[in-house]
Amino acid sequence: AQTVTQSQPEMSVQEAETVTLSCTYDTSESNYYLFWYKQPPSRQMILVIRQEAYKQQNATENRFSVNFQKAAKSFSLKISDSQLGDTAMYFCAFMKYSGAGSYQLTFGKGTKLSVIP
Amino acid sequence: DTGVSQDPRHKITKRGQNVTFRCDPISEHNRLYWYRQTLGQGPEFLTYFQNEAQLEKSRLLSDRFSAERPKGSFSTLEIQRTEQGDSAMYLCASSLAGGPPEQYFGPGTRLTVT
């Protein structure tokens, strides 16, 4: 079974600054996907970014980028130029690429990010 | 293109009652997933459908839980004889088989069992 660990329950960042959220995972799979999802207060879960394990290049989406270290099983999210609208719970999630149990997302417990004006 | 919708958004019920939730996925998505999220935790997988077939069920899905997707479009999740431990947010998500792997989530149904 896969496990996802987010060791930072809460973080805060000043508006316009950069923040990095940590995520580690444990799996015996070699092919998989990793995701960061954002859940704003009282709003639905939104995909932030996706990384395929077979890709060495780190994914980037505008102000969001990841640092994927496959050997270390680490998948951190960097948010640049933080905005007030980035305030949310951030969940790291794992998905097997194929076989039994694939298509299921395994989530970490989340990191609550507050952007301070 | 409308997103995933769920109904009701909130449900308060007394212990022992049955409740049913509905999920309407994104229209072209043939995979549909149910998750449960308790306070302070990430969502946990319950079950998923491809078209009308229920292909996987978590051990979290006890005998009191049943999910259906009769025509491969909307899905229902029923909880019989609710218990206080069933209080949680029930999330539905959908995706397209053969498409990008990411799942798109609905707003959830918050269940409170008193």
Side-chain angles (χ1 to χ4, degrees), chain A residues 37 44 50 101 103-105, chain B residues 35 48 56 102-103 105:
Chain A
Y37 279 88
Q44 64 202 74
R50 176 188 86 212
Y103 315 125
Q104 299 175 22
L105 286 166
Chain B
Y35 292 84
Y48 104 89
E56 295 217 24
E102 48 265 27
Q103 297 173 16
F105 283 81

Side-chain angles (χ1 to χ4, degrees), chain B residues 16-86:
Chain B
Q17 298 295 303
N18 298 345
V19 294
T20 300
F21 311 140
R22 176 178 170 129
C23 170
D24 287 87
I26 293 172
S27 57
E28 64 269 25
H29 285 183
N30 52 1
R31 286 192 181 136
L32 187 148
Y33 313 80
W34 286 98
Y35 292 84
R36 182 172 68 187
Q37 184 178 21
T38 53
L39 204 60
Q41 303 293 320
E44 295 174 293
F45 172 79
L46 292 178
T47 189
Y48 104 89
F49 293 83
Q50 181 156 321
N51 301 313
E52 64 275 8
Q54 188 174 18
L55 297 185
E56 295 217 24
K57 291 196 293 186
S58 163
R59 57 180 170 77
L60 292 176
L61 211 66
S62 76
D63 291 345
R64 297 184 297 106
F65 288 69
S66 62
E68 294 183 342
R69 194 182 183 199
K71 297 182 179 179
S73 56
F74 72 91
S75 174
T76 58
L77 177 68
E78 181 183 16
I79 309 174
Q80 296 182 327
R81 305 181 303 282
T82 52
E83 302 173 355
Q84 287 190 321
D86 298 330

Side-chain angles (χ1 to χ4, degrees), chain A residues 81-116:
Chain A
D81 185 26
S82 297
Q83 301 176 359
L84 297 179
D86 295 333
T87 293
M89 283 291 289
Y90 285 81
F91 292 98
C92 178
F94 173 100
M95 180 192 289
K96 282 175 59 175
Y97 189 77
S98 63
S102 55
Y103 315 125
Q104 299 175 22
L105 286 166
T106 300
F107 287 87
K109 290 187 176 183
T111 295
K112 183 178 181 181
L113 177 67
S114 299
V115 179
I116 302 165

Side-chain angles (χ1 to χ4, degrees), chain A residues 62-73:
Chain A
N62 300 315
R63 299 182 294 107
F64 299 88
S65 62
V66 298
N67 183 2
F68 173 50
Q69 302 289 328
K70 190 174 184 179
K73 296 179 182 175

